[in-house]
Amino acid sequence: MHNKKEACRNFQRGSCQYGERCKFLHVIQQQPKSNAFGFGTQAISHQQQKPNPFGFGVQNNAQSKGANDFGNKQSQFKNTWTRSSASSGAPSLRQPDNQPQATNHRCNDPESCKRIIAEDFEHERPLWKLTCYSHWKNSPCDIVGDVSYEELRAAAYDDAKRGLSLQSIIERERNLLNSKLVEFENFLRNPYRGPAGSAAAQQIPFPGATTIVLSPTTQNTVAPQSNVPPSVSSFSQLGASLNTGFSPGPSVQSNNASGQPTSFSNSAQSSNVFSANNVPSANAST
Amino acid sequence: MTSAQPPAPGRELSNPPTDGISNLRFSNHSDHLLVSSWDKTVRLYDASADSLRGEFMHGGPVLDCCFHDDSSGFSASADNTVRRIVFSHGKEDILGRHDAPVRCIEYSYAAGQVITGSWDKTLKCWDPRGASGQERTLVGTYPQPERVYSLSLVGNRLVVATAGRQVNVYDLRNMSQPEQRRESSLKYQTRCVRCYPNGTGYALSSVEGRVAMEFFDLSEASQAKKYAFKCHRKSEAGRDIVYPVNAIAFHPVYGTFATGGCDGFVNVWDGNNKKRLYQYSKYPTSIAALSFSRDGRLLAVASSYTFEEGEKP
């Protein structure tokens, strides 16, 4: 063994070519992940002899282990696309209270939770909008009322069989989408909720979700909020201030369905539910 | 549908369904492929020979299908029925019903039972050996917290993913209550759950372009191994377009896995080394389902519109 003092950074990244000859110390700060798929584990000592041929090596950050996604893991995949949004605020916020299971997230710091939510909505809105959402992994949903595409499709097929015109099916879907987008907007504005106890209250309103699927919801303004009172009201400590955060009805209405234009794919098909029928003016509800 | 030998281009099977494909499966005994579709049929193909061996009509769109053995299979339909199909006779009979469309179906060789999950928030187990008729075949009904979106079996374990990001893990030998109840470690709606072939855990994918790798063992050491990664995203104008990951399939021999998303790409990953191994060139539309053949030589890819943008004329 050489007299090494400093840790070898390449080795920790798994790409040191010198092996034993290396001038720097080959230490592993942490137990490497053993083979999840049962091919034979690599004991720690092996790592010191030969660097991992795939270049993955060990993780040098203790907290990135259980930490999940969001920036840390991203760099370890050789993906051909690059991610421009770093969501840099989020990982550092999470690490302090990040246990491997992370089941005990309490929204003690509403500001940081709000930041997490804002980042998520800014950078990672999925293409499929009719989804539930939780701002913390392993926590119960903040926004409930999940609809899968198969359910939407089954409902559309049923409607068509009953003789509903294509246009009215599209209308119904668009209403559903709008009320969901409104829910997300409201959540973004009033995400604060107290300790986990109040989260339990909003697990209940699933019946609301199924009725939304099968019958057209009334359009915007106050109506969608009355459809989903539990999820919205349990956030805002002020209760009555629901309407203040809500963007004025007409702007959402005329916006048809397009929310954030970049999240939807091209609006080539004009009667596509999720793209604007008219000229995509599309900025109002963001 | 194509086969995955990199030098040759993918081979598309003839006589595909006339509407979207909901799921496809390879048999455990041969290269037969069972395909369920929104056109209300279940089709049986011989993938190597590229021939359609049977077509079975149902009363409503078929949302899932699975093999029993090479002579029969089961299907789950949106007309709330669970059916058994005997391929050679072209006959099918109804094994039982749910109160809402049946979303997923699996056959457990370990338990000798058919397991179905439905949007009526229940899981039901059926014994296919008896005569048909619900009284004789239904083994048990197990309520779920929410509508069932996906399920997967390995050995004696069953993983059920429902709406609202809940996941239940059951031991088939004791179905009275779940072995584990979890919330998904992803933030959005769950799309698909698949167990690892070695039975140590499962992979879960969501609509937010992420897959989480989880483990059954609740010890600290095992739970420290779990991770999640982003995939099926496209960077455009400074922000990502985030596609749902619709399907996951594990290679039965190597333990690597393929994921398919609404972006029309199939990626193959090495979960142990956390690398992407390969990406197939883009399919015409969203990937609806994936399945590896029993020896892992073939990968069936179903590409059909999955309704992630609602109704399109």
Side-chain angles (χ1 to χ4, degrees), chain A residues 37 39 68 70 77 83 120 127 131 134 137 139 146-147 149-151 153 157 173 206 265 272 274, chain B residues 19 146-147 149 164-165 185 187 189 191 198 210 228 233 240 242 244 246 254 305-306 309 311:
Chain A
F37 301 116
F39 284 146
N68 196 350
F70 296 137
F77 277 106
R83 238 183 94 75
D120 280 346
L127 200 58
T131 169
S134 164
K137 59 178 176 151
S139 292
D146 227 346
V147 179
Y149 5 118
E150 290 80 18
E151 288 168 297
R153 189 174 199 164
Y157 280 31
E173 292 177 355
F206 279 114
S265 57
N272 182 330
F274 295 87
Chain B
D19 198 348
E146 248 293 347
R147 298 153 283 156
Y149 280 171
R165 299 162 55 248
S185 52
K187 296 182 169 182
Q189 181 182 115
R191 273 304 289 160
N198 71 353
R210 264 204 183 91
R233 296 183 175 200
D240 277 359
V242 176
N246 293 329
Y254 298 136
Y305 178 54
T306 47
E309 284 177 25
E311 180 73 55

Side-chain angles (χ1 to χ4, degrees), chain B residues 15-303:
Chain B
N15 293 314
T18 53
D19 198 348
I21 295 168
S22 52
N23 200 6
L24 45 67
R25 301 270 188 154
F26 265 110
S27 156
N28 278 337
H29 309 280
S30 66
D31 284 346
H32 284 170
L33 189 67
L34 199 62
V35 179
S36 57
S37 161
W38 286 84
D39 69 354
K40 306 189 196 171
T41 66
V42 171
R43 290 167 195 242
L44 178 69
Y45 294 88
D46 182 338
S48 318
D50 186 11
S51 67
L52 177 63
R53 314 229 354 175
E55 188 175 334
F56 311 99
M57 280 299 289
H58 286 62
V62 191
L63 300 180
D64 200 358
C65 59
C66 68
F67 274 96
H68 178 185
D69 50 35
D70 253 6
S71 62
S72 65
F74 301 102
S75 66
S77 172
D79 66 355
N80 308 359
T81 59
V82 180
R83 288 168 205 244
R84 165 180 37 211
I85 306 170
V86 181
F87 302 136
S88 42
H89 305 151
K91 266 204 314 231
E92 35 151 300
D93 57 295
I94 295 181
L95 215 53
R97 287 172 201 277
H98 274 266
D99 299 325
V102 191
R103 174 69 182 90
C104 331
I105 187 166
E106 282 281 354
Y107 177 71
S108 164
Y109 291 92
Q113 290 176 5
V114 179
I115 300 168
T116 56
S118 161
W119 292 337
D120 66 357
K121 308 190 191 179
T122 65
L123 198 69
K124 291 193 192 217
C125 290
W126 313 85
D127 181 344
R129 291 165 301 183
S132 358
Q134 186 152 314
E135 330 72 53
R136 320 245 185 100
T137 52
L138 181 62
V139 170
T141 300
Y142 310 102
Q144 298 300 307
E146 248 293 347
R147 298 153 283 156
V148 177
Y149 280 171
S150 181
L151 49 86
S152 177
L153 280 173
V154 66
N156 274 316
R157 271 209 173 95
L158 171 68
V159 181
V160 183
T162 68
R165 299 162 55 248
Q166 316 257 21
V167 177
N168 276 343
V169 180
Y170 284 89
D171 184 330
L172 286 172
R173 296 164 293 197
N174 176 16
M175 292 289 290
S176 54
Q177 56 165 23
E179 197 187 348
Q180 294 174 28
R181 264 180 247 264
R182 305 182 177 203
E183 299 269 350
S184 157
S185 52
L186 302 177
K187 296 182 169 182
Y188 289 87
Q189 181 182 115
T190 307
R191 273 304 289 160
C192 176
V193 68
R194 286 286 178 267
C195 296
Y196 306 155
N198 71 353
T200 54
Y202 59 92
L204 192 120
S205 75
S206 76
V207 297
E208 80 214 68
R210 264 204 183 91
V211 176
M213 311 297 285
E214 308 264 1
F215 295 91
F216 293 127
D217 186 359
L218 291 175
S219 68
E220 280 282 317
S222 289
Q223 289 303 304
K225 291 188 288 189
K226 71 180 191 182
Y227 65 95
F229 61 95
K230 296 183 196 123
C231 51
H232 297 285
R233 296 183 175 200
K234 188 159 76 168
S235 214
E236 201 166 283
R239 66 166 64 180
D240 277 359
I241 301 184
V242 176
Y243 293 96
V245 183
N246 293 329
I248 305 176
F250 278 88
H251 190 288
V253 175
Y254 298 136
T256 51
F257 60 98
T259 58
C262 286
D263 53 354
F265 285 104
V266 176
N267 293 315
V268 184
W269 310 87
D270 177 342
N272 179 43
N273 290 304
K274 302 189 184 172
K275 295 281 174 199
R276 185 173 70 175
L277 297 172
Y278 198 71
Q279 178 182 74
Y280 291 102
S281 39
K282 190 164 188 294
Y283 285 88
T285 177
S286 325
I287 307 297
L290 292 171
S291 176
F292 276 101
S293 62
R294 69 203 147 104
D295 51 8
R297 261 190 334 109
L298 299 175
L299 172 66
V301 179
S303 172

